[in-house]
Amino acid sequence: LPAVYSLDGLLVFGLLLVCTCAYLRKVPRLRTWLLSERRGVWGVCHKAAVIGTRLHVAVSVSCLLMAFYVLVGE
């Protein structure tokens, strides 16, 4: 539970959200069902999917750096 209130936990949650939504955007049936709404809670998922697909190199590098930090740094 303490990881929820730390910056590390928040960054991991954000990266996982962006990666998951970007993956769901690649699945055609889920894309029309989940990511078609651009407002509200599903709008956050849509925006995270757009960030994940447009900045895929930066997101993947930050995921690798965060994984290294979580495994070695803590």
Side-chain angles (χ1 to χ4, degrees):
L1 190 65
V4 175
Y5 297 111
S6 68
L7 182 62
D8 303 341
L10 208 61
L11 287 174
V12 168
F13 176 75
L15 284 172
L16 287 174
L17 179 73
V18 168
C19 292
T20 303
C21 291
Y23 177 75
L24 290 177
R25 187 173 179 167
K26 297 292 183 184
V27 179
R29 189 170 291 186
L30 291 177
R31 181 179 184 175
T32 58
W33 186 56
L34 290 175
L35 300 172
S36 61
E37 187 66 35
R38 295 183 184 210
R39 292 186 178 160
V41 175
W42 297 117
V44 173
C45 293
H46 172 75
K47 290 173 184 165
V50 169
I51 289 170
T53 54
R54 289 186 183 170
L55 300 175
H56 62 279
V57 174
V59 170
S60 62
V61 168
S62 60
C63 283
L64 288 173
L65 290 174
M66 183 55 74
F68 181 75
Y69 174 75
V70 167
L71 290 175
V72 177
E74 289 184 354

